[in-house]
Amino acid sequence: MRLLLVLILFAPSLLALDLKDVDRDTCRYVRLALLKDDVRKHFGLRIGDFESLDQALRADVEMGTAKHLLVLRLGTKAAAVLIETDGRADKAGESCFFEVEHSLTIAEAPGGNHVSLACSIGEEALPVRSRLLRYHEPKLQVCLTWTSREQLSLENDRYTIETTRTVENDDKGYRLRELTEYLLDGKRIEGGIESKDTALRDDDAGLSRGQVTETPVPVATHCAIARRLERDGLNDAALYHARAAKLRATLDKLAEDDARRLEAQALAAKLEARLRPVEVTRK
């Protein structure tokens, strides 16, 4: 009864919240969440000062007795609040607070009691930072933060190196799967793909990174890509692969006189000399 009276009392102020693109249930959950003192304190709001919120997102979950997870954002401040149902009425339950960069979206999660949030780090669409939320009884927590998408562009955007990272969960446990593709004019160049899996250890504080297993682009393939790009006049992209070949040779502990290491060194030296700016001194 007390909760109902409070909702009725502050209904006019709640209607001031600009949630034109938010459904009715989410609006109702916003009202419930903002009755919590710690949520209002996190955002620096007073009771009735609800129109300042920038975002309200909802995900359907199975987290304890909660059926919904509400995510609120004001500037760079964000809060996640569980909405519990006891058979009679909904109420705001456990919450957690964190900082973000820009506007949030709900992304695909590895299932179970997890919700994934994606957020652009800068003003551009990429790179993207993701946060994985979970209910680890009795707490709601951000259990992992990682860069989920990034891109390096060369040669006036003709050549791009795109990396995606996703959290997966199977019979072997949680892992962070990284996939990097090398694209020329939007199409993957031959041999231009590599992957890396990082095991994630599950403990009370969250998911922490463990052993790494990778399938890299071999030294010889990096050199072959560099030669092809050089023939096409894409010298900056070619140099990238020549340097990557040198690094891979070191990581693979190739002998100093190994033909693959020598080829990578020669390609890198030639391209660096070609791209080195020439200084002209007038006398």
Side-chain angles (χ1 to χ4, degrees):
M1 178 62 71
R2 180 179 301 174
L3 176 60
L4 180 60
L5 289 174
V6 173
L7 284 172
I8 294 173
L9 180 62
F10 294 106
S13 297
L14 289 166
L15 291 174
L17 182 61
D18 185 10
L19 292 174
K20 292 179 292 185
D21 299 325
V22 179
D23 61 80
R24 181 182 303 175
D25 283 339
T26 302
C27 288
R28 180 162 55 88
Y29 298 150
V30 170
R31 298 184 181 105
L32 292 173
L34 290 175
L35 290 173
K36 295 190 66 175
D37 291 340
D38 57 347
V39 175
R40 291 198 310 277
K41 182 178 179 180
H42 175 69
F43 291 119
L45 297 175
R46 298 170 298 175
I47 291 181
D49 186 20
F50 304 109
E51 68 278 4
S52 299
L53 283 175
D54 294 322
Q55 275 189 287
L57 306 173
R58 174 170 63 94
D60 296 330
V61 298
E62 294 290 338
M63 296 183 176
T65 60
K67 302 298 182 183
H68 307 283
L69 177 74
L70 181 70
V71 179
L72 306 176
R73 182 181 67 87
L74 174 57
T76 59
K77 294 180 181 292
V81 184
L82 288 176
I83 304 298
E84 300 178 352
T85 301
D86 61 7
R88 293 173 298 176
D90 296 331
K91 64 178 181 179
E94 287 295 320
S95 57
C96 68
F97 308 104
F98 49 98
E99 296 289 319
V100 296
E101 295 80 18
H102 290 284
S103 180
L104 292 165
T105 58
I106 294 177
E108 184 177 352
N113 61 341
H114 295 82
V115 170
S116 181
L117 301 176
C119 180
S120 297
I121 294 175
E123 296 296 335
E124 303 295 330
L126 296 175
V128 173
R129 182 165 292 150
S130 290
R131 294 166 176 84
L132 190 64
L133 278 64
R134 72 172 180 182
Y135 179 62
H136 192 68
E137 193 172 358
K139 295 181 179 179
L140 181 65
Q141 63 181 196
V142 178
C143 62
L144 184 70
T145 301
W146 75 101
T147 301
S148 53
R149 291 184 60 205
E150 58 185 334
Q151 176 179 290
L152 174 64
S153 297
L154 299 169
E155 309 293 353
N156 295 318
D157 295 335
R158 285 195 62 197
Y159 197 74
T160 58
I161 301 157
E162 299 181 0
T163 300
T164 59
R165 299 178 185 89
T166 56
V167 176
E168 299 181 3
N169 184 24
D170 55 23
D171 55 352
K172 296 181 181 179
Y174 291 99
R175 68 178 181 272
L176 184 64
R177 168 151 289 184
E178 177 179 313
L179 183 69
T180 299
E181 295 183 280
Y182 299 89
L183 307 173
L184 176 59
D185 295 328
K187 296 181 179 179
R188 186 195 301 166
I189 200 164
E190 184 176 356
I193 185 170
E194 57 189 353
S195 63
K196 180 189 297 183
D197 282 358
T198 303
L200 297 173
R201 296 186 295 266
D202 189 357
D203 53 43
D204 290 342
L207 300 176
S208 57
R209 291 168 174 80
Q211 183 177 358
V212 176
T213 304
E214 61 179 332
T215 305
V217 173
V219 175
T221 303
H222 271 304
C223 290
I225 294 173
R227 290 194 301 271
R228 174 189 168 175
L229 294 171
E230 182 187 17
R231 288 196 300 270
D232 291 344
L234 304 175
N235 292 316
D236 285 328
L239 179 57
Y240 176 95
H241 281 280
R243 287 172 172 170
K246 284 179 60 179
L247 177 60
R248 189 74 251 166
T250 299
L251 294 174
D252 291 346
K253 299 180 180 179
L254 298 183
E256 291 296 327
D257 60 350
D258 189 289
R260 293 165 294 176
R261 180 189 287 274
L262 294 174
E263 181 183 17
Q265 291 173 340
L267 277 169
K270 178 175 63 172
L271 290 163
E272 286 170 352
R274 181 178 300 165
L275 294 171
R276 186 179 301 125
V278 177
E279 293 185 5
V280 178
T281 303
R282 293 181 181 275
K283 294 185 178 180

